[in-house]
Amino acid sequence: RKEVEQDPGPFNVPEGATVAFNCTYSNSASQSFFWYRQDCRKEPKLLMSVYSSGNEDGRFTAQLNRASQYISLLIRDSKLSDSATYLCVGLVRGGSYIPTFGRGTSLIVHP
Amino acid sequence: NAGVTQTPKFQVLKTGQSMTLQCAQDMNHEYMSWYRQDPGMGLRLIHYSVGAGITDQGEVPNGYNVSRSTTEDFPLRLLSAAPSQTSVYFCASSYGTRGEAFFGQGTRLTVV
């Protein structure tokens, strides 16, 4: 079982919609969490870190639920340019701290 | 500001050939790693290093070797290429406990 699990989608939404992805993690010692974005045939790039108190960056909001062991990413007012694959990462306290990725969730925003 | 540089960007190999994928970073990161990405499989960790002279295996290490003689470089060697190694390979470096990883542009490898 992978340390992080994601629904691969695709999530197909119209422009302007709000969409949310979840990512569950199996190791309760996981300490740090991140969301990455990957465009087709490109390298992944950091989208945002996920803090215990949650954090917001413009239209993007990330939340951490330690009790249920999942993180979430909410995208408001979706744009065509948001179409991409979104990858979650968890790092384990006392582990290697090498990022281990979920399989990614594909988002397609259509006109 | 080069970041993480991978070479080559594309490569075609014949079964049984060997080659080295190069990865260099100029951010003085201690942590470096290699991933392969196949359709529907996400990024799978091949090998990683937490400092010069220290390497360890990831999820899918078979058929690959690594070494880390300097902080900057982390080459990945394919010993005897097989069609199952056809994939996109990404090298990454990170701050370690902070975990934010920076990726190279990838190497698209085809083994025929």
Side-chain angles (χ1 to χ4, degrees):
Chain A
R1 182 185 175 191
K2 288 185 77 69
E3 289 186 17
V4 289
E5 298 278 1
Q6 296 180 252
D7 179 349
F11 286 64
N12 208 319
V13 303
E15 269 187 293
T18 295
V19 62
F21 314 130
N22 281 348
C23 169
T24 59
Y25 60 94
S26 58
N27 192 330
S28 59
S30 296
Q31 182 179 25
S32 305
F33 301 91
F34 306 87
W35 282 102
Y36 283 74
R37 170 190 169 129
Q38 185 176 27
D39 294 300
C40 187
R41 302 179 69 81
K42 299 281 191 180
E43 73 274 22
K45 293 184 179 178
L46 180 69
L47 177 65
M48 58 196 309
S49 304
V50 186
Y51 305 125
S52 296
S53 56
N55 55 312
E56 186 173 312
D57 183 4
R59 299 181 293 108
F60 298 83
T61 300
Q63 298 279 356
L64 167 61
N65 185 317
R66 286 200 182 274
S68 300
Q69 294 189 197
Y70 74 87
I71 65 172
S72 64
L73 177 67
L74 180 78
I75 305 175
R76 290 180 297 278
D77 188 23
S78 298
K79 311 291 185 191
L80 296 177
S81 57
D82 292 334
S83 297
T85 296
Y86 292 83
L87 303 158
C88 69
V89 175
L91 301 182
V92 176
R93 184 188 317 121
S96 68
Y97 291 103
I98 295 292
T100 301
F101 289 79
R103 292 181 181 170
T105 298
S106 175
L107 172 65
I108 301 170
V109 182
H110 58 83
Chain B
N1 189 7
V4 180
T5 303
Q6 276 185 248
T7 55
K9 287 188 171 54
F10 301 93
Q11 183 70 49
V12 179
L13 288 179
K14 293 182 179 178
T15 298
Q17 285 185 315
S18 63
M19 80 160 293
T20 299
L21 307 184
Q22 301 293 343
C23 177
Q25 54 97 3
D26 62 0
M27 296 174 282
N28 203 33
H29 289 168
E30 288 296 318
Y31 288 47
M32 296 186 74
S33 47
W34 276 101
Y35 301 85
R36 60 177 289 174
Q37 188 171 36
D38 303 293
M41 298 298 292
L43 287 156
R44 292 185 291 171
L45 183 64
I46 304 171
H47 285 286
Y48 65 95
S49 169
V50 298
I54 306 169
T55 64
D56 206 345
Q57 296 181 351
E59 183 184 355
V60 288
N62 292 341
Y64 308 93
N65 272 356
V66 292
S67 60
R68 183 97 180 271
S69 56
T70 66
T71 298
E72 293 78 20
D73 299 298
F74 190 43
L76 177 73
R77 281 183 289 278
L78 280 71
L79 308 173
S80 177
S84 60
Q85 293 179 305
T86 294
S87 188
V88 181
Y89 292 84
F90 288 103
C91 176
S93 71
S94 62
Y95 289 110
T97 58
R98 287 180 55 188
E100 300 163 34
F102 297 82
F103 284 82
Q105 292 183 311
T107 296
R108 283 161 179 77
L109 175 69
T110 301
V111 182
V112 298

